[in-house]
Amino acid sequence: MVQMLQAERNYLFFLLSKKEYSRFELKSKLKARNKLSHDEIEALLTEFSDQNWQSDRRLTEMLVASYLNKHYGKGRIIQKLVYEKQVDKVIVESVLSEQAIDWFHQASQCYENKYHSDIKDIKDKQKRIQYLLRQGHDYTTAVEVVGNIQL
C-alpha cells in the first residue's frame, strides 16, 4: 500500500511538473486511476497543498493574468475558474480585487481585436454587444463600448 501511495505521489509530481492544476482537477485524475481510496486521495492532496506543491491561489493568479491578456470580462474569468476548474470563488474574487483592472479598457480591447469596421445597422450593433457579453463583460460596459449609432 505504501508503494501505491508513493506511485500516486510521483504521478502528482509528474503532472505538476508540466503545468498547474486545481485541487479538483488533481482529485479527478486520481479518482480516474482508481488506485486509492477517497480518504487517501484527500490526504495526498492535503499534503500537496500544505507543502505548497499545489496551490489553487497560484493557479488562479496565473490564469487570471492569462485571461486578462485575452481581454475576457469578469464574468467569463469567474465562470472558467469557478465552474470549470472548481476553484473556490472566494479565492477568485480575492485575486481579482487585488488587481487594478480597468474593465472598460478590457472590453474595449476585446471589441477592437474582433471588429475592425463600422457598425452597419441595429442588428450589427446588437451582435457586437452580444459578443462582448459572451466574453464576460457586463451589459452596461458592452453598450458603452459599442456606443450609440444613428440609423
Side-chain angles (χ1 to χ4, degrees), residues 68-72 102-116 131-132 137 145:
L68 289 174
N69 284 335
K70 295 177 183 179
H71 307 296
Y72 289 169
D102 180 354
W103 293 111
F104 181 80
H105 178 72
Q106 280 292 111
S108 298
Q109 290 298 113
C110 183
Y111 180 82
E112 289 169 16
N113 288 346
K114 174 80 173 171
Y115 296 105
H116 306 288
Y131 171 74
L132 288 175
H137 300 285
V145 167

Side-chain angles (χ1 to χ4, degrees), residues 23-33 41 45:
R23 182 182 179 104
F24 171 78
E25 290 171 312
L26 291 177
K27 187 175 186 177
S28 297
K29 289 184 177 293
L30 288 174
K31 279 183 177 179
R33 288 169 61 98
I41 290 172
L45 291 175

